[in-house]
Amino acid sequence: MEIWINPVCSKCASALSLLDEEGADYTVRRYLDDPPTVPELEAVLARLGLEPWELARTGEPAAAALGLADWPRDAAARDRWTSALAAHPELIQRPVITADDGTTVIGRTPEAVRSVLPGR
């Protein structure tokens, strides 16, 4: 299992605590230091069943600087969004957890985190 975290994020800390409580075997990726590539983001988006604008943290200062609020949200703009997320990883919702079987969730709730644990 891999979890993408921002170490100063309370939701990430909660997810890590829950994984530890459950004895989960996981690898931490500090995605601000080791940003995902466009192909990695595309794979995560496919597993999540989301569009890149649905994974974006549009309230971040970088979103305002880029003018994301005005960007189209359609198939033609998908690559632009994915490239922006790769270039500005602080815009990615967190934590993103990918289980060994490929199941991926945004672990913002305990239920979401538990849903990727083996045997669930």
Side-chain angles (χ1 to χ4, degrees):
M1 177 177 313
E2 181 177 75
I3 179 169
W4 295 0
I5 68 156
N6 175 343
V8 299
C9 168
S10 63
K11 296 289 185 187
C12 294
S14 295
L16 290 172
S17 291
L18 181 55
L19 291 174
D20 288 341
E21 287 170 16
E22 295 289 336
D25 183 25
Y26 62 90
T27 301
V28 171
R29 179 172 183 175
R30 293 177 180 229
Y31 71 95
L32 298 178
D33 299 328
D34 180 16
T37 63
V38 168
E40 286 176 315
L41 284 167
E42 289 171 346
V44 162
L45 288 164
R47 288 191 304 265
L48 287 168
L50 297 177
E51 294 295 340
W53 47 87
E54 295 172 309
L55 187 63
R57 296 174 55 87
T58 56
E60 294 291 318
L66 291 169
L68 288 186
D70 298 325
W71 287 17
R73 296 171 186 221
D74 57 24
R78 195 170 201 283
D79 290 344
R80 183 179 182 195
W81 279 88
T82 308
S83 293
L85 293 173
H88 303 277
E90 67 273 20
L91 296 175
I92 300 170
Q93 288 288 346
R94 59 189 183 248
V96 175
I97 306 170
T98 301
D100 293 338
D101 69 0
T103 303
T104 303
V105 298
I106 299 172
R108 297 188 63 76
T109 66
E111 296 77 22
V113 176
R114 284 189 186 98
S115 75
V116 295
L117 292 172
R120 301 287 172 146

